[in-house]
Amino acid sequence: MTEARGSADRNGETHARYTPGTPCWVSLMVHDLTAAQDFYRELFGWEFRPGPPQLGPSVRVLLDDREVGGIGRMPSGRGLPVAWTPHFASDDVDTTAETVRLCGGTVGVGPLDAAGAGRLAMASDPSGALFGIRRPPDHPGPAATGVPGTPAWIELVTYETAGVLTFYETVFGYKREPLSSPDLDYVTLHLAGHPVAGLRGAGGALDRDRGPHWMTYFEVADTDAALTRVTGLGGRPVTPSHDTAHGRVATAADPEGALFSLIRRPR
């Protein structure tokens, strides 16, 4: 999902340092933290370790000792959506958060420091879609990428792309590449010459109860088998498996209703 620049420590070990604006983390807030761990452990083979105490009850998600993201327990009384949320890298979270405000977005949490997780904030764009801003720690652990169980792509599903495109370009410095199709409102966001995210205008087909939201695509070895496994674990299919130019894709919901997509990219 991400392009990261490498830096070596005094022992010669390479650590990921993300270009500002790069998707660098995904998080999920749930009501039942234990049940969520059981579901995703069986689905993706994830492992879990305790998260930063500043974030409340939470776990870090790992795959083969490499970080994937985090899952936390929903604070009581908070009306936050149960949804997978992408976090974008920033070298200065406070400045990025202020830019979000100046461009019509909202900062709901932070900026704050979290032990072992760097500095972060939670924000929403002018349409209400939630995302994170994150400055990883100076020596982060290696991120898991490119294998089953890791984030492969993120996509904003919104009413129409024009309403938020300038916001993301201004806040994170993206370059746009619209899809040359009169029937599809889709824009790919590029950073340093690489595609990092998509914006999809769904118009009247957008679920009004859910509203604009980011969708995370997770890599799988077999989309059909993974979707069957979702059902067996208490989740549900939302769209059936189908072939696209980027691979075989399906959308599912976990037992608490958090949406995510499964993708097997061409090898």
Side-chain angles (χ1 to χ4, degrees), residues 27-41 43-44 46 48 70-72 74 81-85 210 215-216 218 226-227 229-239 250-262:
S27 66
L28 173 67
M29 298 299 291
V30 297
H31 298 286
D32 190 331
L33 185 56
T34 299
Q37 291 176 76
D38 291 342
F39 174 84
Y40 287 104
R41 181 187 293 111
L43 180 60
F44 293 135
W46 288 350
F48 304 94
I71 303 177
M74 188 84 70
V82 178
W84 279 103
T85 302
R210 191 174 297 273
M215 174 72 73
T216 299
F218 290 100
L227 193 60
R229 195 154 59 248
V230 165
T231 302
L233 293 170
R236 61 181 176 85
V238 176
T239 64
T251 299
D254 71 14
E256 289 201 22
L259 295 180
F260 59 94
S261 289
L262 307 163

Side-chain angles (χ1 to χ4, degrees), residues 1-254:
M1 178 177 73
T2 60
E3 294 290 334
R5 57 183 185 267
S7 62
D9 63 16
R10 67 183 63 185
N11 297 317
E13 184 177 354
T14 298
H15 299 276
R17 297 301 300 163
Y18 293 95
T19 301
T22 303
C24 63
W25 186 263
V26 290
S27 66
L28 173 67
M29 298 299 291
V30 297
H31 298 286
D32 190 331
L33 185 56
T34 299
Q37 291 176 76
D38 291 342
F39 174 84
Y40 287 104
R41 181 187 293 111
E42 293 298 321
L43 180 60
F44 293 135
W46 288 350
E47 301 166 342
F48 304 94
R49 293 179 186 167
Q54 295 92 332
L55 302 182
S58 66
V59 293
R60 290 186 299 142
V61 177
L62 298 99
L63 186 65
D64 296 329
D65 288 327
R66 294 175 179 265
E67 293 195 342
V68 174
I71 303 177
R73 182 179 298 154
M74 188 84 70
S76 59
R78 295 289 296 273
L80 297 174
V82 178
W84 279 103
T85 302
H87 294 229
F88 300 99
S90 171
D91 284 343
D92 187 334
V93 173
D94 296 72
T95 297
T96 302
E98 183 60 25
T99 305
V100 166
R101 295 187 185 97
L102 292 173
C103 292
T106 302
V107 177
V109 177
L112 56 84
D113 293 315
R119 190 161 178 81
L120 57 90
M122 298 303 297
S124 56
D125 68 25
S127 74
L130 185 67
F131 63 90
I133 308 164
R134 188 179 186 89
R135 186 189 187 281
D138 290 336
H139 297 289
T145 59
V147 296
T150 61
W153 184 247
I154 59 169
E155 187 175 275
L156 176 67
V157 185
T158 188
Y159 291 107
E160 45 89 25
T161 61
V164 293
L165 181 55
T166 301
F167 170 84
Y168 286 102
E169 289 177 320
T170 303
V171 172
F172 294 114
Y174 298 134
K175 302 297 182 183
R176 69 179 74 181
E177 185 177 300
L179 186 68
S180 56
S181 170
D183 301 321
L184 190 61
D185 180 12
Y186 197 94
V187 177
T188 303
L189 301 177
H190 289 247
L191 194 65
H194 299 282
V196 296
L199 306 183
R200 175 162 60 90
L206 184 69
D207 184 339
R208 292 185 179 274
D209 292 333
R210 191 174 297 273
H213 60 277
W214 282 94
M215 174 72 73
T216 299
Y217 288 69
F218 290 100
E219 186 87 26
V220 292
D222 185 322
T223 304
D224 298 80
L227 193 60
T228 297
R229 195 154 59 248
V230 165
T231 302
L233 293 170
R236 61 181 176 85
V238 176
T239 64
S241 301
H242 58 283
D243 293 317
T244 73
H246 303 288
R248 190 160 179 79
V249 175
T251 299
D254 71 14

